[in-house]
Amino acid sequence: MKVGVLTGGGDCPGLNAVIRSVVRKGVQEYGFEFAGLRDGWLGALQGHVVPLGVPEVRGILPRGGTILGSSRTNPFKHEDGVRRIRDTLTAHGIDALVVIGGEDTLGVAAELSRQGIPIVGVPKTIDNDVPGTDYTFGFDTAVGIAAEAIDRLHTTAESHMRTLVVEVMGRHSGWIALHAGVAGGANVILIPERPFDIDQVCAWVKSRFEFHYAPIVVTAEGAVPKEGQMVLKDRSLDEYGHVRLSGIGDWLAREISERTGTDARTTVLGHVQRGGTPSAFDRWLATRFGLHAVDAVKDGAFGTMVALNGTRIVRVPIPDAETPTKVVDPSLYSEFEVFFG
Ligand code: F6P
């Protein structure tokens, strides 16, 4: 059996750990051969296939990014996309695919699987919003990076007695903001799931200054004010119809300054949250996902995605484009409101 592997969507730490574990177990235990499809679905469309064996995966466990490259290509937006993918698989003798991706890449995998292409999915994203799994790898690393940044920002905020707004990733879900904000002792945490009241944010900021501490406001990039719209960098859409976000952090600092008469600045963490070496937890989770994904291929369990359920790795249907993303439950968010202000 020859298995193709691809990584799609925004990269995240731990992708290489999955690739390594899929290949190592597949070759050693099952005698599979592997091929890499470059740059997500783009390589599948263009027939860009590279060798992927044990030598190619040596030493990649701690490396960030993906040795296979990634893209946000949506084959259903390209003429004859499905036929071109089938042609690539036939031309290279690929019998099955392991697709490592977030909601968009996996949505395509679910549809291709419905159309008869044998696929096993592996959930990835720093955003932790793929439905069906308790955690995705990449998330723990991103939270660690953001929490460390918040720790550092506390001391400089205190020195200047100003508000520091920290904008983290998370378009539709506030998992990174909530976890990093709680771990970093933020005074305000804003998430997309809960539109915020700017007057309330300013009241929390003022009360923090009254105790002679400088406020740290952590906001997800997709957080929205109650009365307004998302703040967008530009209006261009990717092939999955997503806008490019960013701007809420600057908006918040401006509003806080104007409304409270105190100084406020913004730090946008951006892609630094996705770069570099994965945490030990993400290496562990990615490795387990890889081992179980290759088992699923061996068992012919196509159309399934490996997922973390408690401490067990289970198989669930690959989430399709209709499956809602996994968002922060209001009651979980409310647990931490006691720390605000
Ligand atoms: O998919 C994960 C993610 O990092 C989101 O949190 C963020 O909104 C988006 O990707 C950024 O995408 P790009 O890499 O295209 O700027």
mmCIF file of all heavy atoms in Angstrom, residues 288-313:
data_model
loop_
_atom_site.group_PDB
_atom_site.id
_atom_site.type_symbol
_atom_site.label_atom_id
_atom_site.label_comp_id
_atom_site.label_asym_id
_atom_site.label_seq_id
_atom_site.Cartn_x
_atom_site.Cartn_y
_atom_site.Cartn_z
ATOM 1 N N ARG A 288 1.083 10.685 18.822
ATOM 2 C CA ARG A 288 -0.014 9.719 19.024
ATOM 3 C C ARG A 288 -1.016 9.790 17.865
ATOM 4 O O ARG A 288 -1.487 8.758 17.385
ATOM 5 C CB ARG A 288 -0.727 9.983 20.351
ATOM 6 C CG ARG A 288 0.104 9.640 21.558
ATOM 7 C CD ARG A 288 -0.735 9.662 22.810
ATOM 8 N NE ARG A 288 -1.595 8.495 22.937
ATOM 9 C CZ ARG A 288 -2.699 8.455 23.710
ATOM 10 N NH1 ARG A 288 -3.066 9.521 24.396
ATOM 11 N NH2 ARG A 288 -3.427 7.360 23.777
ATOM 12 N N PHE A 289 -1.348 11.000 17.424
ATOM 13 C CA PHE A 289 -2.269 11.128 16.282
ATOM 14 C C PHE A 289 -1.697 10.394 15.065
ATOM 15 O O PHE A 289 -2.416 9.694 14.343
ATOM 16 C CB PHE A 289 -2.492 12.601 15.926
ATOM 17 C CG PHE A 289 -3.552 13.310 16.752
ATOM 18 C CD1 PHE A 289 -3.664 14.699 16.697
ATOM 19 C CD2 PHE A 289 -4.429 12.616 17.564
ATOM 20 C CE1 PHE A 289 -4.639 15.369 17.434
ATOM 21 C CE2 PHE A 289 -5.413 13.282 18.314
ATOM 22 C CZ PHE A 289 -5.509 14.666 18.240
ATOM 23 N N GLY A 290 -0.402 10.569 14.829
ATOM 24 C CA GLY A 290 0.226 9.924 13.671
ATOM 25 C C GLY A 290 0.153 8.406 13.762
ATOM 26 O O GLY A 290 -0.197 7.724 12.789
ATOM 27 N N LEU A 291 0.467 7.880 14.943
ATOM 28 C CA LEU A 291 0.443 6.421 15.129
ATOM 29 C C LEU A 291 -0.956 5.859 14.878
ATOM 30 O O LEU A 291 -1.135 4.839 14.204
ATOM 31 C CB LEU A 291 0.887 6.059 16.560
ATOM 32 C CG LEU A 291 2.328 6.430 16.942
ATOM 33 C CD1 LEU A 291 2.586 6.135 18.421
ATOM 34 C CD2 LEU A 291 3.333 5.670 16.069
ATOM 35 N N HIS A 292 -1.958 6.562 15.423
ATOM 36 C CA HIS A 292 -3.335 6.081 15.274
ATOM 37 C C HIS A 292 -3.866 6.305 13.862
ATOM 38 O O HIS A 292 -4.706 5.545 13.389
ATOM 39 C CB HIS A 292 -4.237 6.728 16.332
ATOM 40 C CG HIS A 292 -4.021 6.145 17.704
ATOM 41 N ND1 HIS A 292 -4.862 5.202 18.258
ATOM 42 C CD2 HIS A 292 -3.023 6.342 18.604
ATOM 43 C CE1 HIS A 292 -4.398 4.860 19.451
ATOM 44 N NE2 HIS A 292 -3.290 5.544 19.698
ATOM 45 N N ALA A 293 -3.383 7.352 13.185
ATOM 46 C CA ALA A 293 -3.841 7.600 11.807
ATOM 47 C C ALA A 293 -3.373 6.466 10.895
ATOM 48 O O ALA A 293 -4.122 5.989 10.029
ATOM 49 C CB ALA A 293 -3.314 8.936 11.303
ATOM 50 N N VAL A 294 -2.140 6.022 11.082
ATOM 51 C CA VAL A 294 -1.638 4.958 10.204
ATOM 52 C C VAL A 294 -2.332 3.633 10.535
ATOM 53 O O VAL A 294 -2.592 2.812 9.642
ATOM 54 C CB VAL A 294 -0.088 4.911 10.227
ATOM 55 C CG1 VAL A 294 0.465 4.089 11.361
ATOM 56 C CG2 VAL A 294 0.456 4.424 8.889
ATOM 57 N N ASP A 295 -2.705 3.449 11.807
ATOM 58 C CA ASP A 295 -3.516 2.272 12.164
ATOM 59 C C ASP A 295 -4.866 2.320 11.443
ATOM 60 O O ASP A 295 -5.364 1.297 10.973
ATOM 61 C CB ASP A 295 -3.789 2.225 13.674
ATOM 62 C CG ASP A 295 -2.554 1.835 14.476
ATOM 63 O OD1 ASP A 295 -1.564 1.365 13.881
ATOM 64 O OD2 ASP A 295 -2.585 2.012 15.713
ATOM 65 N N ALA A 296 -5.446 3.523 11.383
ATOM 66 C CA ALA A 296 -6.757 3.669 10.723
ATOM 67 C C ALA A 296 -6.637 3.330 9.234
ATOM 68 O O ALA A 296 -7.522 2.693 8.656
ATOM 69 C CB ALA A 296 -7.296 5.080 10.914
ATOM 70 N N VAL A 297 -5.515 3.746 8.619
ATOM 71 C CA VAL A 297 -5.293 3.390 7.204
ATOM 72 C C VAL A 297 -5.210 1.871 7.083
ATOM 73 O O VAL A 297 -5.842 1.255 6.218
ATOM 74 C CB VAL A 297 -4.000 4.053 6.663
ATOM 75 C CG1 VAL A 297 -3.670 3.526 5.267
ATOM 76 C CG2 VAL A 297 -4.146 5.573 6.637
ATOM 77 N N LYS A 298 -4.440 1.270 7.956
ATOM 78 C CA LYS A 298 -4.258 -0.192 7.929
ATOM 79 C C LYS A 298 -5.610 -0.912 8.058
ATOM 80 O O LYS A 298 -5.879 -1.903 7.382
ATOM 81 C CB LYS A 298 -3.329 -0.585 9.091
ATOM 82 C CG LYS A 298 -3.199 -2.062 9.342
ATOM 83 C CD LYS A 298 -2.335 -2.723 8.301
ATOM 84 C CE LYS A 298 -2.161 -4.198 8.602
ATOM 85 N NZ LYS A 298 -1.731 -4.928 7.407
ATOM 86 N N ASP A 299 -6.481 -0.361 8.947
ATOM 87 C CA ASP A 299 -7.794 -0.981 9.187
ATOM 88 C C ASP A 299 -8.803 -0.635 8.094
ATOM 89 O O ASP A 299 -9.958 -1.062 8.163
ATOM 90 C CB ASP A 299 -8.372 -0.507 10.526
ATOM 91 C CG ASP A 299 -7.543 -1.013 11.707
ATOM 92 O OD1 ASP A 299 -6.708 -1.919 11.513
ATOM 93 O OD2 ASP A 299 -7.735 -0.489 12.824
ATOM 94 N N GLY A 300 -8.434 0.248 7.168
ATOM 95 C CA GLY A 300 -9.386 0.669 6.126
ATOM 96 C C GLY A 300 -10.488 1.568 6.688
ATOM 97 O O GLY A 300 -11.579 1.638 6.119
ATOM 98 N N ALA A 301 -10.187 2.257 7.808
ATOM 99 C CA ALA A 301 -11.213 3.115 8.440
ATOM 100 C C ALA A 301 -11.235 4.484 7.771
ATOM 101 O O ALA A 301 -10.967 5.514 8.413
ATOM 102 C CB ALA A 301 -10.920 3.240 9.934
ATOM 103 N N PHE A 302 -11.547 4.505 6.474
ATOM 104 C CA PHE A 302 -11.498 5.770 5.726
ATOM 105 C C PHE A 302 -12.733 6.629 6.028
ATOM 106 O O PHE A 302 -13.786 6.112 6.385
ATOM 107 C CB PHE A 302 -11.346 5.480 4.234
ATOM 108 C CG PHE A 302 -10.070 4.720 3.953
ATOM 109 C CD1 PHE A 302 -10.095 3.445 3.402
ATOM 110 C CD2 PHE A 302 -8.831 5.276 4.304
ATOM 111 C CE1 PHE A 302 -8.915 2.739 3.186
ATOM 112 C CE2 PHE A 302 -7.663 4.572 4.085
ATOM 113 C CZ PHE A 302 -7.700 3.301 3.527
ATOM 114 N N GLY A 303 -12.530 7.932 5.912
ATOM 115 C CA GLY A 303 -13.613 8.858 6.277
ATOM 116 C C GLY A 303 -13.585 9.205 7.752
ATOM 117 O O GLY A 303 -14.435 9.934 8.237
ATOM 118 N N THR A 304 -12.593 8.651 8.476
ATOM 119 C CA THR A 304 -12.510 8.979 9.901
ATOM 120 C C THR A 304 -11.341 9.917 10.171
ATOM 121 O O THR A 304 -10.394 10.017 9.378
ATOM 122 C CB THR A 304 -12.327 7.724 10.792
ATOM 123 O OG1 THR A 304 -11.061 7.117 10.501
ATOM 124 C CG2 THR A 304 -13.437 6.724 10.581
ATOM 125 N N MET A 305 -11.436 10.586 11.325
ATOM 126 C CA MET A 305 -10.361 11.473 11.803
ATOM 127 C C MET A 305 -9.961 10.961 13.178
ATOM 128 O O MET A 305 -10.833 10.574 13.977
ATOM 129 C CB MET A 305 -10.935 12.893 11.914
ATOM 130 C CG MET A 305 -9.992 13.900 12.538
ATOM 131 S SD MET A 305 -10.794 15.524 12.750
ATOM 132 C CE MET A 305 -11.541 15.343 14.373
ATOM 133 N N VAL A 306 -8.670 10.960 13.463
ATOM 134 C CA VAL A 306 -8.244 10.611 14.816
ATOM 135 C C VAL A 306 -8.499 11.824 15.714
ATOM 136 O O VAL A 306 -8.414 12.969 15.263
ATOM 137 C CB VAL A 306 -6.763 10.173 14.867
ATOM 138 C CG1 VAL A 306 -6.558 8.863 14.145
ATOM 139 C CG2 VAL A 306 -5.836 11.255 14.295
ATOM 140 N N ALA A 307 -8.841 11.548 16.973
ATOM 141 C CA ALA A 307 -9.231 12.642 17.865
ATOM 142 C C ALA A 307 -8.860 12.274 19.295
ATOM 143 O O ALA A 307 -8.780 11.086 19.636
ATOM 144 C CB ALA A 307 -10.736 12.868 17.769
ATOM 145 N N LEU A 308 -8.639 13.291 20.113
ATOM 146 C CA LEU A 308 -8.346 13.060 21.529
ATOM 147 C C LEU A 308 -9.648 13.157 22.312
ATOM 148 O O LEU A 308 -10.353 14.161 22.246
ATOM 149 C CB LEU A 308 -7.346 14.116 22.041
ATOM 150 C CG LEU A 308 -6.914 13.950 23.497
ATOM 151 C CD1 LEU A 308 -6.065 12.698 23.703
ATOM 152 C CD2 LEU A 308 -6.135 15.194 23.978
ATOM 153 N N ASN A 309 -9.918 12.084 23.066
ATOM 154 C CA ASN A 309 -11.117 12.065 23.902
ATOM 155 C C ASN A 309 -10.646 11.704 25.305
ATOM 156 O O ASN A 309 -10.368 10.545 25.583
ATOM 157 C CB ASN A 309 -12.072 11.013 23.333
ATOM 158 C CG ASN A 309 -13.374 10.946 24.095
ATOM 159 O OD1 ASN A 309 -13.455 11.361 25.248
ATOM 160 N ND2 ASN A 309 -14.402 10.419 23.463
ATOM 161 N N GLY A 310 -10.517 12.712 26.161
ATOM 162 C CA GLY A 310 -9.897 12.465 27.467
ATOM 163 C C GLY A 310 -8.433 12.154 27.249
ATOM 164 O O GLY A 310 -7.685 12.982 26.740
ATOM 165 N N THR A 311 -8.028 10.920 27.594
ATOM 166 C CA THR A 311 -6.638 10.532 27.334
ATOM 167 C C THR A 311 -6.544 9.522 26.187
ATOM 168 O O THR A 311 -5.460 9.057 25.851
ATOM 169 C CB THR A 311 -5.991 9.898 28.588
ATOM 170 O OG1 THR A 311 -6.799 8.794 28.986
ATOM 171 C CG2 THR A 311 -5.876 10.905 29.718
ATOM 172 N N ARG A 312 -7.710 9.168 25.632
ATOM 173 C CA ARG A 312 -7.719 8.143 24.578
ATOM 174 C C ARG A 312 -7.752 8.769 23.197
ATOM 175 O O ARG A 312 -8.367 9.805 22.990
ATOM 176 C CB ARG A 312 -8.959 7.240 24.727
ATOM 177 C CG ARG A 312 -8.895 6.312 25.930
ATOM 178 C CD ARG A 312 -10.110 5.404 26.019
ATOM 179 N NE ARG A 312 -11.346 6.090 25.660
ATOM 180 C CZ ARG A 312 -12.163 5.714 24.676
ATOM 181 N NH1 ARG A 312 -11.908 4.649 23.945
ATOM 182 N NH2 ARG A 312 -13.275 6.398 24.411
ATOM 183 N N ILE A 313 -7.119 8.102 22.243
ATOM 184 C CA ILE A 313 -7.258 8.529 20.846
ATOM 185 C C ILE A 313 -8.370 7.677 20.233
ATOM 186 O O ILE A 313 -8.327 6.439 20.300
ATOM 187 C CB ILE A 313 -5.944 8.334 20.046
ATOM 188 C CG1 ILE A 313 -4.751 9.006 20.737
ATOM 189 C CG2 ILE A 313 -6.117 8.847 18.612
ATOM 190 C CD1 ILE A 313 -4.751 10.509 20.769
#
